[in-house]
Amino acid sequence: MITYQNLYLDVRRQLLAAGLPGAGLEARELVCAGSGKSRGEFYRDGGLYTSPEIEEAVRALVRRHLDGEPVAYLIGEWEFCGLTLEVTPAVLIPRVDTETLAEAAVGFARSLGKCRLLDLCTGSGCIGLAVAANVPDCRALLGDISEEALGVCRRNVRRCGLTDRVKAEALDALAPPPEAIGLFDCITCNPPYITRAEMEALDRSVKDFEPHLALCGGEDGLDFYRAAAKNWKNALTEKGRLYFEVGAGQAGQVRRLMAGEGFADINILPDTQGIGRVVYGTRNHEKEAVV
């Protein structure tokens, strides 16, 4: 038999030997998932012995992870901006890079007081939920074309206790907005932005497990930026802002697209690695009229 702490250390060694990043965190999550323990219970019971059944359950999860399956899908949840959200293979796993977008939108929404936010290509709902959870006067609509993703998103709305201020519905980011949804002070969008060529070179943990619908942005990766900048500006209030997450190296191209559609005060924000990760601009009716 083996203690929980020694099982954790053994799993961490395996993950480190495989060259997997975040081995310590992933080892803890796999032990917790396989044993049915919360993180608090794991730390409390570290010196206790596991049962053979629990040890095998943990090692089965480890084998699947070493074969490429992401930990988030194995345990069914992941943290984002302090929220613990459900994730399934129907949605992308929330990433630290995307917190740059969420934090920028939170700051803008707070400056407005009462506001309406739309999160396009919402997936798990992580961005919109992070904003709503941190801005009590914000009401949010979360939109996605995938019904499976919307199912996950709606469960996350309930999980976060935000059903009174946050709704989710089917919206196609590539099509013009339906008039019935009204106007928004802020639109956030983390769209599919990987090129067709890059899709083939993706790490197996992404290419074989995460939804391609949420990854591929067309031949040059910019299909959704073109459509959203052109069509969805019409769902913004005067001086409303559109915030995009972009892939590495795409910030300049997206900035030019937004400028071509009449957006003003366009800015690029870096992520924690210094990569231009967020591009945002303000709707400017006067400039649109000139364009």
Side-chain angles (χ1 to χ4, degrees), residues 168-192:
E169 67 177 64
L171 292 173
D172 183 355
L174 293 174
E179 287 185 19
I181 66 173
L183 297 177
F184 299 86
D185 304 287
C186 182
I187 296 177
T188 55
C189 184
N190 178 16

Side-chain angles (χ1 to χ4, degrees), residues 193-196 198 217-223 226 250 253:
Y193 55 66
I194 297 172
T195 68
R196 293 196 196 283
E198 289 169 340
E219 202 64 36
D220 63 357
L222 301 175
D223 286 0
R226 291 189 189 92
Q250 291 179 323
Q253 294 168 291

Side-chain angles (χ1 to χ4, degrees), residues 47 66-67 69 87 101 106 152 154 158 163 173 200 266 271 278:
L66 290 173
D67 196 39
E69 196 165 349
V87 293
L101 171 56
V106 165
V152 176
R154 290 183 180 117
R158 293 192 292 272
T163 53
E200 294 306 311
I266 304 170
D271 62 17
V278 172

Side-chain angles (χ1 to χ4, degrees), residues 88-147:
T88 76
V91 300
L92 292 182
I93 299 164
R95 286 160 166 84
V96 172
D97 292 343
T98 303
E99 293 190 2
T100 304
L101 171 56
E103 289 164 3
V106 165
F108 179 57
R110 281 177 175 161
S111 74
L112 297 174
K114 286 188 176 181
C115 64
R116 290 190 79 214
L117 174 135
L118 169 64
D119 183 37
L120 280 176
C121 305
T122 197
S124 65
C126 61
I127 297 168
L129 289 168
V131 178
N134 285 282
V135 186
D137 287 332
C138 175
R139 303 183 74 84
L141 176 63
L142 314 181
D144 204 287
I145 197 171
S146 164
E147 283 298 330

Side-chain angles (χ1 to χ4, degrees), residues 35-88:
S35 63
K37 289 186 179 293
S38 68
R39 290 166 196 160
E41 291 168 338
F42 164 71
Y43 290 122
R44 182 195 68 195
D45 299 340
L48 300 180
Y49 285 99
T50 69
S51 68
E53 292 78 17
I54 286 176
E55 181 182 355
E56 176 50 33
V58 171
R59 294 199 184 281
L61 290 174
V62 173
R63 287 193 293 271
R64 288 169 63 185
H65 183 43
L66 290 173
D67 196 39
E69 196 165 349
V71 168
Y73 293 152
L74 289 170
I75 68 175
E77 62 183 33
W78 206 245
E79 284 198 8
F80 181 82
C81 288
L83 303 175
T84 301
L85 302 175
E86 176 187 336
V87 293
T88 76

Side-chain angles (χ1 to χ4, degrees), residues 154-177:
R154 290 183 180 117
R155 291 193 292 274
N156 280 328
V157 173
R158 293 192 292 272
R159 190 174 202 177
C160 294
L162 291 169
T163 53
D164 58 330
R165 293 190 287 116
V166 181
K167 305 299 178 190
E169 67 177 64
L171 292 173
D172 183 355
L174 293 174

